[in-house]
Each structure stands twice: as structure tokens, then as C-alpha cells.
Amino acid sequence: MTLKEQLNQLAAACRILEMEGHGDMTLGHVSLRDPEGRGFWLKRNARGLGEIVSADDFVLVDYDGAKLEGEGGRHSEWPIHSEILRNRPDAAVVAHTHPPYASTLSSLDSPLAPFTLDADYFDVLPCHRDETALLTTKEDGEALARTLDNHFAVLMANHGVTFCGTSIAHAVCVGVFLERAARIHFHGIQTRATATFPPAPVRQKRREQIMTPIHVEHSWNYFMRKLASLEKARGCTEIFS
């Protein structure tokens, strides 16, 4: 796949995240590691996730924050991407968003409860706490990367979430599954009933059964079909794959 094709796919990923509850006006950003090692392609600022339509909506940023290519501005929280990509060679894509349920969960001391299989996509869901509204320095990004560690998602206390993936499809699935699990968490605790949860070894077995490459592929294809149907209904004439 060419770089342009990858960025067109990343644009579709942005719209899928908006469709699945991650949109917050022009806030939120997604990046792709540059295949030539120059840095990362970051969604341009001043545009919502749902407004990202093609490869032209990304700018190339190096690991020191300098914009190298592309039209449009660079998000101020670019260190989230640079430091996670620098510290996680397995990650190809990084995203930071403000989905309402997971963002609310980030303010609580209680962990994500496994009411359904959705929570079992995550072995551990760490929560990063800091004193800044925006993570705009290398040190901020490094601290977040340390909290994320080798996991694929991290809550950002009273702020939002950051997640990553080994591919565009994987990152999208992590983000969508996280918000779904958080939504079910709040539905569950609102019942005021006593819930029973499987023990850790059972959850590990369940996770190994569900978080598979074929499930990611099927989920991504489903999200793409759903997006195409939605955009067709809205009168859009083009969908990128």
C-alpha cells in the first residue's frame, strides 16, 4: 500500500472514530508512523475527526515537532504521538480523543468493570494523572508513554484517552472497543444490583479468544461498511478504503 493509500485509510479511520463516539468539535488527533522514518503523519488541526476526508488532511511532523510537509497546522499535543511512537516500536498508529464515557471513567478511582466481553479486550487499563490541560512538551509525552507502557490504551484523568495499534484497523478497534466497554460499565453500575465477574485467569483466556487479527479485520470491514452507508445517506459520493 502506498503512503497516499495509507493516509486515505487513516482519514477513513478518523471518520469512523467520529461515527463511533470519539468526536469532540475540532479536538482529537490521529497519527501514522512515517514509513520512511521521518516522523509521523498527524491529522491537521482546526478540523474535526469527521471532517478528515483524504491524505491532504495530514501533515508530516518530525520527532522534535517541526512540520515538514502538508497543508494546515500542527496540533499542539504532538508530543503525545512523538513519544509514544518513539517508545513503542510495535505501534504504527496513535490517537488521542475525548469520548464521553471513557473520559468520564478517567475521573474515577474504580477500574473498568468486566460486565461483558468488551472489557476483556484490555488486560490492564492504566490511568495517567498530571496537572496540565494539554500535553505540549516532550516531558509530558514521555510521562504519558511511561504510563501507557506496553498496553494499547491509557485513560488520561479528567481529560480523555490515548490509544495505539499495530495497524490502522487495530488502533480503531482499540478506540471503539474502549468507549463501548466504558459505556457498558456505566450502564452496569447504574443497575444498583450485585454483579458477578470472572476471575483474572478466565478473563485472560477470554481476551486471547476475542482479540485476534481476524476479529480486528472483520470489525474494521464492518466499520468501513457502516461508514460507507452513512456517508451515502448524507450524499457523499466517495469512500476511501
Side-chain angles (χ1 to χ4, degrees), residues 20-189:
E20 296 298 323
H22 285 255
D24 184 10
M25 299 176 291
T26 62
L27 306 178
H29 25 92
V30 181
S31 67
L32 172 73
R33 188 189 297 275
D34 179 61
E36 298 180 16
R38 296 171 294 176
F40 51 95
W41 291 89
L42 182 66
K43 164 193 167 288
R44 62 175 174 151
N45 70 352
R47 295 290 186 277
L49 291 169
E51 297 178 295
I52 303 304
V53 297
S54 75
D56 294 334
D57 287 310
F58 298 92
V59 295
L60 178 62
V61 180
D62 71 15
Y63 287 103
D64 293 320
K67 192 181 82 168
L68 305 180
E69 291 185 23
E71 299 295 328
R74 177 210 64 186
H75 280 279
S76 64
E77 290 187 302
W78 61 267
I80 291 175
H81 304 266
S82 65
E83 301 316 304
I84 290 176
L85 290 171
R86 198 194 305 268
N87 287 279
R88 286 288 298 274
D90 62 321
V93 174
V94 175
H96 167 59
T97 61
H98 305 145
Y101 289 98
S103 296
T104 303
L105 181 66
S106 76
S107 70
L108 307 180
D109 289 329
S110 57
L112 177 66
F115 285 99
T116 66
L117 284 170
D118 299 270
D120 290 327
Y121 288 115
F122 307 94
D123 53 350
V124 175
L125 184 59
C127 185
H128 180 72
R129 300 186 182 278
D130 55 49
E131 299 178 353
T132 63
L134 299 174
L135 278 65
T136 59
T137 69
K138 183 176 184 291
E139 291 72 24
D140 291 336
E142 288 176 339
L144 180 63
R146 284 195 298 271
T147 304
L148 175 65
D149 195 28
N150 63 343
H151 307 295
F152 285 102
V154 57
L155 301 176
M156 300 167 68
N158 308 95
H159 182 165
V161 301
T162 291
F163 50 95
C164 59
T166 59
S167 67
I168 294 172
H170 182 218
V172 165
C173 287
V174 171
V176 173
F177 297 163
L178 174 59
E179 178 65 355
R180 178 179 168 87
R183 183 173 70 250
I184 292 171
H185 172 97
F186 285 107
H187 290 332
I189 63 176

